[in-house]
Amino acid sequence: MSLEYSGCFLCPRHCGADRSAGKKGFCKMDAKPRVNLFRLHYGEEPCISGEEGSGTVFFEGCSLGCVFCQNYLISRGATACGTEMDAEDLSDIYMELAGMNANNINLVTPMHWAPTVRDSIILARGKGLTIPVALNISGYENTDTLKMFDGLCDIYLTDFKFYSSSLSSKVCGVSDYLDVAVSAIDEMVRQKGAPVFDERGMMRSGVIIRHLMLPGQLFDTKKILDLILDRYGDKVIISLMDQYTPMPRAIEACGNKKLPAEFAGRINPDHYKAMCDYLMLSGHPNCYMQEGDASGDLWIPEFKV
Ligand code: SF4
């Protein structure tokens, strides 16, 4: 299997698209990385954003394609407003963000350009980048692609989205999300081990597993939390999120017509509280939970469209 761009097998979609020849796979992207936006971002977990902000780089395209994607304006290839960048250009913007006092470099949905992103991190380290580099990813990842970042990625910020295969099939058309995500997170934890923080409480190394609760899916969330607690324990940080916001236009961008009815509402606050209580009772030492209703578009960046 090719882990470069010709006959692409970089993600578990395994399209085999010849991106070197300008073809696009499910991720909607050819071989030239496109960055829509880069800036300091303050909406991540406190150990990532801190007061100074996280140096966030938003890549276009995505290999998962959830029907409720908050970043649908840039994730489904509907626009091509981003700037094409090679590894050298990317390393330069990491240095620029570091110069803005960012706590880290936070690469959002970069894995369909893994070879170039890997090279960009190596180049940036050569230019003197000392802050941690985080890969902010969906959890639906090839372990071989993750291995490209062994020793290069400091922090994995990974989603863990679904337990049920019928749910993952409905949301993004993949029935194997659970098995793929568990193998991927096993690899992330193998690489990073337990979380490490600096003297200010900022994360230097480790894995944060994020789970966004979905409307009416309390049972799915409980199964995911049980799996994380049993399998990874205190080797990971758990971030339980309540900010699900219906995005009717996201599904249009995915080529479908209508958002399934069950995703048209917000999550039940009592369900979120129940899962927060459950996590607290588990005694897990490193959990983030949100205070108040974090849904809405407050933290959605103003993408170039
Ligand atoms: S990264 Fe894109 S082209 Fe490559 S296998 Fe995944 S969806 Fe297909």
Side-chain angles (χ1 to χ4, degrees), residues 17 28 35 89 151 172 202 207 210 243 278 303:
K28 311 281 190 204
V35 170
D89 300 326
C172 47
M202 300 306 299
V207 179
R210 292 169 161 171
Q243 69 211 48
Y278 186 69
F303 294 120

Side-chain angles (χ1 to χ4, degrees), residues 66-212:
C66 298
V67 296
F68 48 70
C69 179
Q70 290 203 339
N71 292 354
Y72 70 91
L73 285 170
I74 65 167
S75 65
R76 300 312 307 141
T79 63
C81 296
T83 307
E84 279 183 13
M85 294 195 180
D86 61 16
E88 192 75 49
D89 300 326
L90 289 169
S91 68
D92 285 341
I93 63 173
Y94 307 162
M95 298 310 291
E96 188 175 333
L97 288 163
M100 294 159 70
N101 212 20
N103 281 308
N104 41 60
I105 300 300
N106 178 354
L107 306 178
V108 181
T109 323
M111 297 302 269
H112 45 291
W113 282 305
T116 313
V117 170
R118 169 199 59 200
D119 293 349
S120 71
I121 298 171
I122 295 168
L123 283 168
R125 291 297 183 210
K127 292 175 184 178
L129 186 77
T130 55
I131 56 177
V133 174
L135 295 182
N136 191 329
I137 55 183
S138 72
Y140 193 65
E141 318 292 344
N142 270 347
T143 52
D144 285 343
T145 305
L146 288 167
K147 283 177 182 160
M148 287 186 192
F149 294 92
D150 197 357
L152 291 174
C153 170
D154 300 289
I155 299 169
Y156 286 104
L157 295 171
T158 182
D159 293 333
F160 193 160
K161 291 171 181 278
F162 321 105
Y163 193 92
S164 140
S165 60
S166 64
L167 182 60
S168 62
S169 297
K170 194 178 288 190
V171 172
C172 47
V174 296
S175 58
D176 59 351
Y177 180 91
L178 176 66
D179 290 343
V180 169
V182 168
S183 297
I185 296 171
D186 284 356
E187 171 61 21
M188 298 177 214
V189 172
R190 182 197 71 75
Q191 288 182 24
K192 301 320 306 174
V196 176
F197 301 91
D198 68 14
E199 63 291 348
R200 298 179 305 134
M202 300 306 299
M203 195 165 181
R204 294 294 308 181
S205 170
V207 179
I208 297 181
I209 302 180
R210 292 169 161 171
H211 175 65
L212 174 69

